[in-house]
Amino acid sequence: MKKVFAILLAFASALAANATQRTSNASRVDQLLDAPGLRGVASVRVGSTTFIAVWTETPQDQTLEIYGMRISKLPAAQLIDRFKDHGFPWQSLTAVQDGAVAGFQVRRTTGEGWFGATLVYFYVDGKFKKVFESGDVAELFDLNGDGYPEALEYRGDKSDPSCRVKISVWKNNRYQPLGTVPLSRLFSIQIRNRIQRFLHVGKMPGPQ
């Protein structure tokens, strides 16, 4: 965490004395790392804005606050979005900066107490939205190389070739289900072609 924000904190320290008056939705960059209950921090860049996600935890819930920061406005960081979650505990927060998308991925325990359930927040139409949630082990992977990763939900043990995978495709600024296929076929040319047809003309029938 310190390594990621070393440069930002240096700017903040240098400019703190000359900081302009801020609204109640603004904080200094260095203050974000002192948030009560801090569990994790991640950042992505969209255009000239760096977005910093701050994960805090209380006994009642988990909160993800996302701040926007421009170099010209340092050391101020403006609160953009806040998401509260009352479900099972979170385990990690990571940045998603993959091709044409930017956002944050949260992993948490499932009802059975094991690690893997997934939440994804993307920057869409000028704000952050929760675009994906699954209680299964899931990951983002760009199967067809178009810059928009598919959401893959594993229905079984990933080490087992007979495991089935539910594929959701990013279309019209949201994830839409394509279908469920055997893990052994996940990276085949047939699946890539099926995704392309779905993107251009809608959902095509295929093996489930």
Side-chain angles (χ1 to χ4, degrees):
M1 185 184 303
K2 291 182 179 179
K3 181 178 180 181
V4 173
F5 287 95
I7 296 177
L8 299 181
L9 293 177
F11 271 112
S13 298
L15 297 175
N18 298 317
T20 58
Q21 183 176 3
R22 294 174 291 277
T23 68
S24 60
N25 285 336
S27 299
R28 277 205 357 228
V29 174
D30 53 339
Q31 292 173 336
L32 301 183
L33 300 183
D34 293 325
L38 180 68
R39 293 295 308 276
V41 178
S43 67
V44 296
R45 186 181 178 95
V46 179
S48 61
T49 302
T50 297
F51 293 102
I52 304 170
V54 179
W55 160 31
T56 57
E57 184 178 75
T58 70
Q60 293 75 36
D61 55 36
Q62 294 82 214
T63 301
L64 185 69
E65 292 186 335
I66 301 175
Y67 293 83
M69 184 197 67
R70 294 174 181 268
I71 294 297
S72 61
K73 300 293 185 180
L74 279 171
Q78 189 75 24
L79 178 64
I80 304 298
D81 286 294
R82 178 186 286 117
F83 302 92
K84 281 191 174 291
D85 185 276
H86 304 283
F88 293 103
W90 292 3
Q91 296 292 326
S92 68
L93 168 67
T94 56
V96 177
Q97 190 100 55
D98 189 0
V101 300
F104 303 98
Q105 177 177 276
V106 171
R107 294 214 186 260
R108 63 178 172 190
T109 57
T110 63
E112 294 76 20
W114 53 275
F115 176 83
T118 303
L119 301 168
V120 177
Y121 301 86
F122 277 172
Y123 187 69
V124 180
D125 294 332
K127 62 181 180 180
F128 282 87
K129 300 178 181 178
K130 183 167 70 174
V131 298
F132 178 78
E133 182 171 7
S134 173
D136 292 309
V137 175
E139 64 180 343
L140 301 178
F141 191 90
D142 188 359
L143 293 171
N144 63 330
D146 66 349
Y148 295 91
E150 280 65 53
L152 310 177
E153 300 174 71
Y154 295 89
R155 304 297 173 79
D157 188 344
K158 288 176 62 176
S159 65
D160 183 354
S162 66
C163 169
R164 298 183 68 80
V165 185
K166 180 181 178 181
I167 304 172
S168 295
V169 176
W170 186 254
K171 182 178 180 180
N172 297 330
N173 284 340
R174 63 188 179 94
Y175 274 111
Q176 302 183 36
L178 175 72
T180 304
V181 302
L183 177 59
S184 59
R185 294 185 52 215
L186 182 60
F187 300 101
S188 67
I189 186 64
Q190 290 83 5
I191 298 302
R192 293 198 296 273
N193 290 340
R194 188 175 167 188
I195 293 171
Q196 290 301 113
R197 293 195 300 269
F198 177 83
L199 289 171
H200 286 94
V201 298
K203 188 172 182 178
M204 303 294 291
Q208 298 295 307

